[in-house]
Amino acid sequence: MPTTNPNPTILGIESSCDETAAAIVINATQVKSNIIATQFELHAEFGGVVPEIASRAHIERILPVIQKALAQANITDPKSQIDAIAVGHRPGLIGSLLVGVAAAKALAWAWQKPIIGIDHVLAHLHATTLENQQPIKFPALGLIVSGGHTTLCAMQDPLNVKVIGKTIDDAVGEAYDKAANMLGLGFPGGPKIDQRAQSGNENAHDLPISRLDKTSLDFSYSGLKTALLYKIRGLPTGKGKSRRFEKDHTDLNESEINDLAASFQKAAINALTLKINRALAQSPNNTFQSLVVGGGVSANSKLRTDLQTLATQNHLQLRLPELHYCVDNAAMIAGYAALKFEKNQFDDLSLSPQPAGTLS
Ligand code: KG4
Ligand code: ZN
């Protein structure tokens, strides 16, 4: 569907995991509204997101969230005020994605607007441009760190992105959540470990950093997770079903928990900076002009400080999202869609959810 509007107003919808979100963004970066309904309270007792509970909660919340996003942006007549509807259609939980995609298609049909399917992972990188007029310098090295992804990519421009490294097991955010669970800190674990680590000694325990082979840009967090488990619970006796631990986190005092949180965090983040440095060293003629970071873990205080140091040392422009754009949100979906809108890259009502996505 061709367009001529150079400053499109886009309704973004996001429902890939456990946040139901809608936003109105003008011209890729001006956020007029950004509504997020979290589901933490529904999943906390399970220590992680339960897909079936997530999709049911999306169904209940999606329309009120969209209505609130329209109202806050003073959109009273969407047919005349909105240029397109964007939806995160990959990757994610199939039942969750289905809700957002169905809502977006229904509204696109009712309002006769173009629909744009957006890759959630790429949208996280766009979050660094929301409410930030300064352009990203390309080529850029992109790092997505979330509950589902730990991915390094080479970005020629925002629409031309190639994966150069990714986790071979757990994502870094998932490792944070599991570590917090093992330490009895609750869900979601990232912010809790971040906070506890500030009162802990990061050198108290020497936890492993996965290097993989010498040139690899991939990540691995399963070894770190197991090493932390043994620090907390001691070495197990027995094997398979008869495996038993003598201790658990209730045997730790507050200061021991803080030290373990800080030591875990040091290893988890050093694993990221190690691979960023490798990617920079491997790039011919120092190609990268900037480091663009996105995803829930980019809210982490130590990661933000360490990346600032790394960027300064390597003369890179550092692009970190504002804290409220680190977590899943629909402003990043609507903003990124504007770049596709400009290039007339639209989808149609056959758009369907893709749980695996392209960057998985
Ligand atoms: O991007 P996101 O909202 O959802 C996914 O697409 O996965 O990321 C959620 C992840 C969770 O694993 C959460 O524990 C982590 O981001 N997280 C953090 C922090 N805030 C959120 N991890 C470390 N430090 C934080 N401050
Ligand atoms: Zn995400």
Side-chain angles (χ1 to χ4, degrees):
M1 199 177 300
T3 173
T4 49
N5 187 348
N7 302 311
T9 298
I10 298 190
L11 165 65
I13 297 175
E14 157 62 32
S15 71
S16 64
C17 188
D18 61 339
E19 262 97 23
T20 319
I24 298 287
V25 176
I26 300 181
N27 195 18
T29 63
Q30 295 166 39
V31 181
K32 292 292 166 191
S33 63
N34 183 37
I35 308 297
I36 305 174
T38 60
Q39 301 179 7
F40 293 153
E41 77 289 355
L42 300 179
H43 303 284
E45 69 173 292
F46 305 101
V49 177
V50 182
E52 190 58 30
I53 293 176
S55 50
R56 273 192 228 163
H58 284 307
I59 293 172
E60 287 165 8
R61 293 161 192 219
I62 192 100
L63 291 180
V65 163
I66 293 172
Q67 277 162 345
K68 209 165 168 186
L70 294 172
Q72 258 189 30
N74 292 323
I75 305 277
T76 49
D77 178 17
K79 261 191 163 179
S80 67
Q81 290 175 275
I82 284 178
D83 295 295
I85 297 168
V87 60
H89 75 120
R90 69 185 185 205
L93 301 169
I94 182 68
S96 291
L97 288 169
L98 263 169
V99 179
V101 171
K105 290 200 309 196
L107 293 176
W109 180 77
W111 295 338
Q112 290 296 297
K113 297 293 169 190
I115 188 166
I116 305 173
I118 295 295
D119 188 299
H120 174 98
V121 180
L122 292 178
H124 267 304
L125 294 174
H126 183 79
T128 65
T129 67
L130 296 173
E131 292 175 58
N132 183 343
Q133 300 300 319
Q134 205 191 352
I136 295 176
K137 293 183 186 164
F138 289 101
L141 182 62
L143 173 72
I144 301 115
V145 278
S146 74
H149 295 271
T150 310
T151 305
L152 259 183
C153 39
M155 307 170 74
Q156 279 312 312
D157 60 60
L159 298 176
N160 191 350
V161 178
K162 186 174 150 227
V163 173
I164 55 174
K166 61 185 175 183
T167 183
I168 59 168
D169 42 53
D170 288 353
V172 59
E174 188 181 358
Y176 263 91
D177 292 336
K178 287 178 177 164
N181 202 15
M182 287 188 246
L183 288 166
L185 298 177
F187 173 81
K192 304 212 161 137
I193 296 223
D194 190 354
Q195 190 203 355
R196 288 304 199 109
Q198 288 171 27
S199 316
N201 171 8
E202 64 175 21
N203 298 317
H205 302 276
D206 193 14
L207 294 172
I209 298 167
S210 83
R211 289 178 165 72
L212 302 174
D213 69 48
K214 267 191 192 152
T215 55
S216 173
L217 298 178
D218 288 337
F219 304 89
S220 166
Y221 281 98
S222 60
L224 172 59
K225 196 178 62 183
T226 308
L228 180 69
L229 176 76
Y230 290 168
K231 289 278 180 200
I232 297 168
R233 307 199 64 183
L235 288 178
T237 54
K239 285 204 172 124
K241 281 190 179 154
S242 55
R243 192 170 84 144
R244 295 277 177 278
F245 290 97
E246 296 296 312
K247 302 187 286 178
D248 68 19
H249 65 82
T250 57
D251 295 301
L252 300 168
N253 65 33
E254 294 300 304
S255 126
E256 287 168 334
I257 291 178
N258 294 346
D259 287 352
L260 283 161
S263 303
F264 165 84
Q265 174 155 285
K266 180 183 168 193
I269 290 176
N270 282 353
L272 298 173
T273 49
L274 176 90
K275 297 298 162 68
I276 295 171
N277 279 320
R278 258 189 206 172
L280 294 174
Q282 287 174 19
S283 83
N285 313 318
N286 298 327
T287 316
F288 297 116
Q289 305 287 303
S290 55
L291 175 60
V292 184
V293 190
V297 184
S298 61
N300 183 271
S301 54
K302 178 175 165 61
L303 180 63
R304 291 176 89 90
T305 310
D306 288 6
L307 290 182
Q308 187 58 67
T309 309
L310 185 153
T312 308
Q313 281 165 352
N314 290 281
H315 311 289
L316 294 170
Q317 177 198 42
L318 176 64
R319 299 296 297 246
L320 288 167
E322 296 289 333
L323 285 181
H324 51 284
Y325 295 132
C326 291
V327 290
D328 287 350
N329 65 83
M332 67 186 194
I333 302 286
Y336 189 57
L339 308 181
K340 295 186 109 185
F341 186 98
E342 254 174 45
K343 301 226 173 319
N344 283 324
Q345 293 180 10
F346 298 111
D347 292 288
D348 59 34
L349 294 181
S350 67
L351 182 73
S352 55
Q354 292 172 19
T358 47
L359 298 185
S360 301

